[in-house]
Amino acid sequence: MNYVFHILIMINIYIILSVSTNLLVGMANLLSLGQAAFYGIGAYVTAYALIGLGLPLLPTLLLAMGVTAIFSFLLAYISLKLEGDYFILATLGFQIIIFTILYNWIDVTRGPYGIPGIPSPKLFGLVKIEGITGYIILSTILSAITIFVFYKIINSPFGRALKGMRDDEIAMISLGKNITVLKVEAFVLSSAFVAIAGFIYASYISYIDPTSFNLDEAIFILTAILIGGTGNIKGPVIGAVFVVLLPEILRFVGMPDNLAANMRMIIYGLTLIILMRYRPQGIAGEYKFSK
Amino acid sequence: MNNTILHINSVSKSFSHSIKKLNGDVSKEEYCVLDKIDLQVQKGKITAIIGSNGAGKTTLFNIVSGLLNTDKGELFYTPNGKKYNLRKISPYKLARIGIGRMFQDNHIFPKLTVMENMLIADTDPYGENAFTSFFYHRKKRKIEKERKLRAEQIFEMLFGKANPFCEKQEDYAETLSYGQQRLLGLARLFMGNYKLVLLDEPTAGVNPVLVKKIAEIIRKMVDKRQMTILLIEHNMPFVESLADLCVFINTGKIETAGSVVEVLDNPHVRENYLGKRTTKRNSTDAQA
Ligand SMILES: Nc1ncnc2c1ncn2[C@@H]1O[C@H](COP(=O)(O)OP(=O)(O)O)[C@@H](O)[C@H]1O
Ligand SMILES: [Mg+2]
């Protein structure tokens, strides 16, 4: 049973990552290779708040989201003036810089040794989130809130403006829309919610190290939403479930672990290629990456 | 001054392109697309801009709407007592001060529904802020409802009670025919509060019935909403029936300006643009 719960918690974490990343990739047409960096910032701030400051749950969560939002605002401010592919390269640069800092600033992050012993947070200083049941409840609530918030956003005038911008920036300008502001807002909002995933991960696993937040992870998040599909909520959710479940299915059918690890990467790659060829909007998305 | 809404003073624009010679050298060559354009656009009037393909008409629109910078010259917009220097205003702000534009290629939003295409065209961005977008908010609701009502009224005013746009309001705009997309592009200009509207070849590629419809819509822009219209057109009967004033641009220069009859009867315009026909009635139906 614990095994199933563990999988469910990981699915919740990836739902939060993919649903919030979808706001950028599927709604605002901003492909970001830096999502794992924000995930990592959220996780490290969480570790610091729980170990160093001994904060309760909500302040820790808000601090993680806030610090991540500040980083994303700075990155957005610098890079959104860049067009298309240059924006992607800027997010790639950011991802590499954050990983390098996490890896090498040993005094603060303990570098490759990681941070062990992250305690469970207390809700209002009373209820301790404990054990796997505690985390299944916490992660389900947080991923439900994320889904709710992004559902609201997609169906709001702001969501409509993002879709408009995705379709046609010139037309948006001619209708009086400040597209730079729209992009910065989407970027900051998306990153702040990615930090929630970092919060759950750090306090649930109780140990973090930089390798969980490297470029591979950033690409993995993108893979999830490209497979599931973007532009709506369904797509990213299905993508998150798919990428988390696939390795477990491979194990279930009796594939030895070392083979399964490689097999899984091959299957992700093949799925992507086949989808892009026959179903570019992903399994359940509504937006095709073609112009 | 009083009757002028847009002052284009001696505006020039050159583009440069690289030429690769046979010996492999690359040289840059400048070519002038607009050459000291002077035009005072009269408030409340429909001014047609005519001229051959490549004459620089769209470039002039791009400069007025801030998508291109000028090399030289000044642009002032004086809607009602205020005076705006258009060279100092960000392009997105122009719609908010009353300058609207319809593009030569439709530029409607294919993946938004017909209704969303109207709602998004409200130049007041109320409710488009990210951080309030997931809260319930009574005023936001009210404004959205009011926008929708306004859009339906516009459809009805332009296309009658039972019109395809109200029926198809939940469909993606890409499902509309080309002609209907044009009409939608015009209809959405009624969602803003425009004083000056730039229309780039509104009748290009649409059938005669729609051409009549488009003429009606433009008349309504002027009569019901007091918009001033700058109109690029190749359809001369359309220009004759609709426009008050006419400007002929040839290779980046304004060569003739005046009333429509004056300009279309001008021998120079006939020779260089209309063709040497003797009857001016069925002169041209040029495509873009
Ligand atoms: N962004 C640009 N870069 C280079 N040349 C351009 C650009 N835009 C327009 N031109 C050139 O300027 C000239 C005028 O174009 P345009 O204003 O579109 O003509 P039209 O009168 O048919 O609307 C053409 O020769 C075109 O190739
Ligand atoms: Mg043109």
Side-chain angles (χ1 to χ4, degrees):
Chain A
M1 206 55 201
N2 272 5
Y3 166 74
V4 175
F5 278 180
H6 171 74
I7 303 298
L8 286 176
I9 292 169
M10 292 316 286
I11 286 179
N12 278 329
I13 289 177
Y14 277 91
I15 285 177
I16 294 171
L17 288 172
S18 61
V19 166
S20 21
T21 301
N22 168 55
L23 188 74
L24 288 184
V25 179
M27 300 291 295
N29 203 8
L30 295 168
L31 198 66
S32 165
L33 282 173
Q35 293 307 92
F38 296 121
Y39 182 31
I41 294 170
Y44 273 84
V45 172
T46 300
Y48 178 71
L50 292 176
I51 297 173
L53 304 176
L55 290 180
L57 191 150
L58 282 179
T60 303
L61 183 57
L62 292 178
L63 188 68
M65 292 174 81
V67 172
T68 311
I70 291 170
F71 272 94
S72 72
F73 178 77
L74 294 176
L75 175 63
Y77 191 79
I78 298 166
S79 61
L80 281 172
K81 295 215 160 67
L82 307 171
E83 301 232 327
D85 299 345
Y86 295 101
F87 169 78
I88 300 175
L89 290 178
T91 60
L92 173 64
F94 177 76
Q95 172 67 45
I96 292 169
I97 290 169
I98 293 296
F99 177 77
T100 310
I101 290 174
L102 293 181
Y103 203 84
N104 291 299
W105 198 8
I106 293 179
D107 293 344
V108 175
T109 66
R110 291 178 36 94
Y113 308 112
I115 301 179
I118 302 168
S120 298
K122 276 191 186 154
L123 189 59
F124 305 119
L126 297 171
V127 194
K128 203 167 167 105
I129 306 296
E130 249 173 342
I132 202 141
T133 354
Y135 278 97
I136 190 96
I137 294 169
L138 179 70
S139 67
T140 306
I141 290 174
L142 289 176
S143 84
I145 290 176
T146 306
I147 289 177
F148 175 78
V149 164
F150 281 87
Y151 177 81
K152 282 281 182 199
I153 291 174
I154 288 179
N155 293 296
S156 72
F158 173 67
R160 181 173 69 214
L162 291 185
K163 284 188 204 166
M165 189 172 77
R166 178 183 81 185
D167 278 356
D168 194 331
E169 291 193 2
I170 298 284
M172 286 294 280
I173 293 171
S174 85
L175 294 173
K177 314 293 175 186
N178 189 340
I179 57 176
T180 313
V181 166
L182 287 172
K183 286 179 182 173
V184 172
E185 288 180 350
F187 203 76
V188 170
L189 206 58
S190 162
S191 316
F193 275 82
V194 163
I196 297 179
F199 164 82
I200 301 175
Y201 183 82
S203 64
Y204 167 58
I205 304 285
S206 82
Y207 167 81
I208 51 174
D209 75 75
T211 55
S212 304
F213 313 109
N214 58 13
L215 181 60
D216 283 357
E217 181 65 23
I219 293 172
F220 189 67
I221 297 169
L222 285 183
T223 308
I225 63 172
L226 292 179
I227 289 177
T230 62
N232 53 16
I233 297 286
K234 245 185 340 200
V237 169
I238 290 176
V241 174
F242 179 87
V243 295
V244 176
L245 276 190
L246 180 69
E248 308 308 324
I249 292 171
L250 292 183
R251 199 175 301 159
F252 190 73
V253 298
M255 194 175 282
D257 269 1
N258 55 348
L259 183 59
N262 295 325
M263 213 43 214
R264 154 189 112 123
M265 296 318 282
I266 292 174
I267 294 181
Y268 291 144
L270 269 180
T271 313
L272 260 186
I273 293 172
I274 292 170
L275 278 174
M276 292 308 118
R277 171 67 182 79
Y278 294 102
R279 205 178 154 75
Q281 70 271 43
I283 296 171
E286 65 177 43
Y287 175 49
K288 287 184 190 142
F289 288 87
S290 55
K291 270 273 154 81
Chain B
M1 178 76 193
N2 255 339
N3 255 338
T4 308
I5 189 165
L6 178 67
H7 312 248
I8 302 175
N9 300 336
S10 205
V11 162
S12 299
K13 179 76 192 172
S14 298
F15 290 115
S16 59
H17 59 170
S18 323
I19 298 169
K20 194 165 183 184
K21 293 188 188 137
L22 281 178
N23 64 11
D25 291 353
V26 177
S27 70
K28 281 226 158 169
E29 186 169 282
E30 289 248 320
Y31 59 101
C32 178
V33 175
L34 292 175
D35 185 11
K36 296 206 188 90
I37 297 283
D38 274 302
L39 182 61
Q40 311 300 312
V41 179
Q42 300 302 302
K43 202 177 278 181
K45 296 272 192 313
I46 300 178
T47 305
I49 299 177
I50 61 172
S52 314
N53 295 121
K57 306 180 296 296
T58 301
T59 304
L60 183 62
F61 272 16
N62 284 338
I63 285 173
V64 175
S65 50
L67 300 179
L68 281 175
N69 290 321
T70 51
D71 300 337
K72 290 194 199 90
E74 299 288 342
L75 292 137
F76 296 104
Y77 168 64
T78 48
N80 35 26
K82 289 197 203 94
K83 183 171 182 181
Y84 298 94
N85 182 347
L86 292 188
R87 292 185 66 175
K88 299 218 166 97
I89 296 180
S90 312
Y92 79 89
K93 286 191 181 143
L94 295 181
R96 299 185 186 178
I97 59 172
I99 301 180
R101 174 160 186 194
M102 182 193 184
F103 293 90
Q104 195 167 349
D105 34 2
N106 283 325
H107 281 280
I108 58 154
F109 304 103
K111 289 288 184 205
L112 292 185
T113 66
V114 171
M115 182 49 79
E116 285 173 329
N117 264 276
M118 293 295 280
L119 301 178
I120 203 173
D122 188 341
T123 47
D124 176 2
Y126 192 89
E128 284 171 5
N129 179 287
F131 303 102
T132 58
S133 61
F134 45 93
F135 294 118
Y136 175 81
H137 194 325
R138 190 178 291 161
K139 185 169 175 207
K140 195 171 69 188
R141 271 252 176 120
K142 207 178 118 214
I143 287 198
E144 278 287 293
K145 266 201 183 138
E146 178 272 332
R147 279 178 182 146
K148 184 152 189 256
L149 191 68
R150 205 142 43 97
E152 280 163 353
Q153 283 166 350
I154 290 167
F155 283 147
E156 196 178 317
M157 188 248 301
L158 299 179
F159 310 114
K161 269 232 169 320
N163 62 72
F165 296 98
C166 279
E167 281 158 27
K168 287 189 177 176
Q169 55 173 282
E170 301 300 326
D171 295 358
Y172 279 154
E174 66 183 359
T175 63
L176 297 177
S177 71
Y178 178 79
Q180 284 176 328
Q181 291 185 16
R182 299 243 96 176
L183 296 183
L184 182 60
L186 286 166
R188 79 175 174 193
L189 288 171
F190 286 81
M191 287 296 289
N193 187 15
Y194 296 113
K195 308 275 190 314
L196 171 68
V197 172
L198 316 176
L199 304 174
D200 199 342
E201 302 191 21
T203 72
V206 304
N207 66 44
V209 177
L210 279 187
V211 171
K212 253 184 88 183
K213 189 79 230 171
I214 289 171
E216 274 173 34
I217 294 175
I218 295 175
R219 273 255 72 88
K220 282 180 178 159
M221 288 178 161
V222 179
D223 298 340
K224 290 196 190 258
R225 295 294 183 89
Q226 286 76 47
M227 298 182 197
T228 301
I229 309 285
L230 254 184
L231 172 75
I232 295 176
E233 258 304 335
H234 289 297
N235 182 335
M236 288 309 123
F238 183 81
V239 168
E240 280 185 272
S241 70
L242 203 60
D244 305 303
L245 300 163
C246 188
V247 174
F248 173 59
I249 297 191
N250 198 18
T251 56
K253 284 196 177 70
I254 292 187
E255 297 196 331
T256 317
S259 74
V260 176
V261 180
E262 270 166 25
V263 174
L264 296 191
D265 279 348
N266 184 302
H268 178 75
V269 176
R270 301 196 142 210
E271 190 158 328
N272 289 285
Y273 174 62
L274 297 175
K276 293 177 195 169
R277 297 242 184 100
T278 41
T279 51
K280 71 176 189 197
R281 282 275 153 248
N282 46 10
S283 44
T284 160
D285 197 13
Q287 296 282 316

